[in-house]
C-alpha cells in the first residue's frame, strides 16, 4: 500500500509519544506514533521539523531532525538531549508515554538526492549528528550493492566532550565497518587513557592533517585526508552548538572553503550549516 505522509508544513499536528529509549541520564530516543501503519512522516532527506509547545505560558519552537526516515512506517524517532535550561528539550524529556507533541514540517534548504556531490565532508558536535546520520543512512541505503546508484564518499568528524557523550556510536561504527565509502573520526575534549582519536576542539590542522587510517575505525593502507579538499563537486556540512559552528566557519575558510557569509545556508552553498 502507498505510504501516506503525516506532516503539514503550514499546520502543527499532534503526535503521541509511543516509546522512550533512554541512552544516557539526559539523552533518549523518543518514538512518536503516526496515524497508522501505512503512514510515514513525509520528510525529505536533509530536512527537519518544527516542534512547538507552550512552556511557562509562552509558545516555544525548536527544530529537530529525526533519526528515522520515510523507510519507517507508523512512527518517527527523535534523538534529544535534555538540558536544564532548554525549554523544549526539557519539556520533551519530562513527557510520559501517551502524551502528544506538536509538529510541523518539512522545513529547511537541504534536500538530498543521490550523487548530489562526489564527496561530503561533515563536522558534527553532540546532537548535531542527527542530520548527518539521516543523510549517511540514505546514501548507504542507495548504494549499487543495495540496488541503487549512490557512490557519494562521506568523511565525518564527530566532536564531543566525554566518551559517554558520543551518541549512536554503535550505529556509526556499524555503518563504517559495512561501507568503505563512509569514514568517521571521533574527537573528545576529555579522552580516556589509550584514546586514539582526536583530542580537544576541532581545528584546521585536525581537518587537513594526513594520517594512516589504522588510527581510525576504517583501516586503509593509503594516506588520506580526514575531510575532502575544497572542490566544486563536494560539500561540507556543519551541525552542532553555535560556538562550535562559528569556529568551524572561520577554520574552514582558512583552509580554502567558501566563506559562509549568509545567515541561512542554501543548497548550492559549498559549506552548508544546518
Amino acid at each position: 500500500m502507498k505510504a501516506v505522509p503525516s506532516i503539514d508544513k503550514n499546520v502543527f499536528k499532534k503526535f503521541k509519544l509511543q516509546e522512550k529509549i533512554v541512552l544516557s541520564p539526559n539523552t533518549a530516543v523518543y518514538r512518536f506514533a503516526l496515524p497508522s501503519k501505512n503512514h510515514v512522516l513525509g520528510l525529505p532527506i536533509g530536512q527537519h521539523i518544527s516542534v512547538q509547545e507552550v512552556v511557562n505560558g509562552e509558545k516555544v519552537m525548536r527544530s529537530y531532525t529525526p533519526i528515522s526516515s520515510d523507510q519507517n512506517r507508523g512512527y518517527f524517532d527523535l534523538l534529544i538531549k535534555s538540558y536544564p535550561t532548554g525549554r523544549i528539550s526539557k519539556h520533551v524529556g519530562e513527557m510520559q508515554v501517551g502524551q502528544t507533541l506538536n509538529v510541523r514540517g518539512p522545513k529547511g534548504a537541504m534536500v538530498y538526492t543521490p550523487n548530489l556531490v562526489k564527496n561530503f565532508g561533515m563536522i558534527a558536535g553532540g546532537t548535531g549528528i542527527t542530520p548527518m546520520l539521516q543523510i549517511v543512512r540514505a546514501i548507504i541505503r542507495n548504494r549499487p550493492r543495495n540496488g541503487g546508484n549512490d557512490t557519494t564518499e562521506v568523511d565525518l568528524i564527530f566532536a564531543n566532550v566525554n566518551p559517554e557523550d558520543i551518541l549512536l556510536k554503535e550505529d556509526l561504527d556499524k555503518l563504517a565497518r559495512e561501507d568503505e565509502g563512509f569514514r568517521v573520526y571521533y574527537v573528545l575534549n576529555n579522552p580516556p587513557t589509550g584514546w586514539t582519536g582526536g583530542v580537544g576542539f576541532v581545528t584546521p590542522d585536525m581537518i587537513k592533517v594526513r594520517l594512516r587510517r589504522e588510527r581510525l575505525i576504517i583501516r586503509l593502507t593509503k594516506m588520506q585526508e580526514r575531510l575532502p579538499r575544497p572542490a566544486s563537486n563536494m560539500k561540507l556540512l556543519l551541525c552542532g552548538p553555535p560556538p562550535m559552528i562559528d569556529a568551524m566557519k572561520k577554520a574552514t575558510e582558512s583552509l580554502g572553503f567558501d566563506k559562509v557569509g549568509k545567515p541561512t545556508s542554501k543548497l548550492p552553498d559549498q559549506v552548508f550549516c544546518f
Side-chain angles (χ1 to χ4, degrees), residues 182-213:
F182 171 55
R183 296 162 290 274
V184 56
Y185 182 69
Y186 299 104
V187 180
L188 292 176
N189 283 5
N190 302 317
T193 302
W195 175 254
T196 57
V199 177
F201 297 103
V202 179
T203 65
D205 285 342
M206 191 175 290
I207 295 171
K208 72 181 181 180
V209 71
R210 293 173 179 268
L211 80 168
R212 293 186 181 277
R213 284 289 182 183

Side-chain angles (χ1 to χ4, degrees), residues 171-272:
D171 298 68
L172 292 167
D173 290 352
K174 184 174 185 291
L175 290 171
R177 284 194 301 269
E178 294 176 351
D179 191 275
E180 63 180 12
F182 171 55
R183 296 162 290 274
V184 56
Y185 182 69
Y186 299 104
V187 180
L188 292 176
N189 283 5
N190 302 317
T193 302
W195 175 254
T196 57
V199 177
F201 297 103
V202 179
T203 65
D205 285 342
M206 191 175 290
I207 295 171
K208 72 181 181 180
V209 71
R210 293 173 179 268
L211 80 168
R212 293 186 181 277
R213 284 289 182 183
E214 281 82 352
R215 291 184 60 195
L216 309 188
I217 292 170
I218 298 299
R219 297 192 173 189
L220 299 177
T221 57
K222 64 181 181 179
M223 305 293 277
Q224 186 175 8
E225 291 184 347
R226 292 185 186 139
L227 293 181
R229 294 176 178 175
S232 60
N233 60 354
M234 67 80 61
K235 285 187 184 295
L236 181 61
L237 309 182
L238 307 177
C239 191
M244 171 188 165
I245 297 305
D246 289 341
M248 288 303 95
K249 289 178 181 178
K250 296 176 183 178
T252 54
E253 185 182 352
S254 73
L255 295 174
F257 291 94
D258 289 350
K259 181 178 180 179
V260 184
K262 298 180 286 293
T264 304
S265 292
K266 304 297 182 184
L267 185 60
D269 294 348
Q270 184 184 58
V271 181
F272 187 97

Side-chain angles (χ1 to χ4, degrees), residues 102-221:
N102 294 305
V103 174
R104 183 177 71 186
K107 61 181 292 189
M110 171 59 71
V111 179
Y112 180 73
T113 53
N115 300 306
L116 178 67
V117 290
K118 182 179 179 181
N119 301 92
F120 270 127
M122 299 178 172
I123 303 176
T127 53
I129 192 62
T130 55
M132 311 303 187
L133 182 59
Q134 185 194 62
I135 292 173
V136 168
R137 282 176 170 166
I139 290 171
I140 294 176
R141 191 165 55 239
N142 198 41
R143 290 294 197 206
R145 69 174 185 274
N146 297 323
N149 65 344
D150 204 325
T151 58
T152 308
E153 296 278 322
V154 183
D155 288 274
L156 165 67
I157 293 178
F158 188 18
N160 289 278
V161 178
N162 302 304
E164 60 271 21
D165 297 323
I166 304 176
L167 303 172
L168 302 171
K169 187 175 186 297
E170 290 185 5
D171 298 68
L172 292 167
D173 290 352
K174 184 174 185 291
L175 290 171
R177 284 194 301 269
E178 294 176 351
D179 191 275
E180 63 180 12
F182 171 55
R183 296 162 290 274
V184 56
Y185 182 69
Y186 299 104
V187 180
L188 292 176
N189 283 5
N190 302 317
T193 302
W195 175 254
T196 57
V199 177
F201 297 103
V202 179
T203 65
D205 285 342
M206 191 175 290
I207 295 171
K208 72 181 181 180
V209 71
R210 293 173 179 268
L211 80 168
R212 293 186 181 277
R213 284 289 182 183
E214 281 82 352
R215 291 184 60 195
L216 309 188
I217 292 170
I218 298 299
R219 297 192 173 189
L220 299 177
T221 57

Side-chain angles (χ1 to χ4, degrees), residues 45 51 61 65 77 96 133 165 211 217 264:
I45 298 299
V51 170
M61 186 165 62
T65 302
D77 291 340
Q96 302 298 312
L133 182 59
D165 297 323
L211 80 168
I217 292 170
T264 304

Side-chain angles (χ1 to χ4, degrees), residues 59-88:
K59 284 186 178 180
V60 182
M61 186 165 62
R62 294 290 185 270
S63 296
Y64 291 97
T65 302
I67 59 172
S68 55
S69 73
D70 285 355
Q71 298 293 309
N72 307 112
R73 295 194 179 199
Y75 69 90
F76 69 94
D77 291 340
L78 296 180
L79 171 66
I80 297 178
K81 186 172 185 177
S82 298
Y83 297 92
T85 57
R87 290 187 289 179
I88 290 292

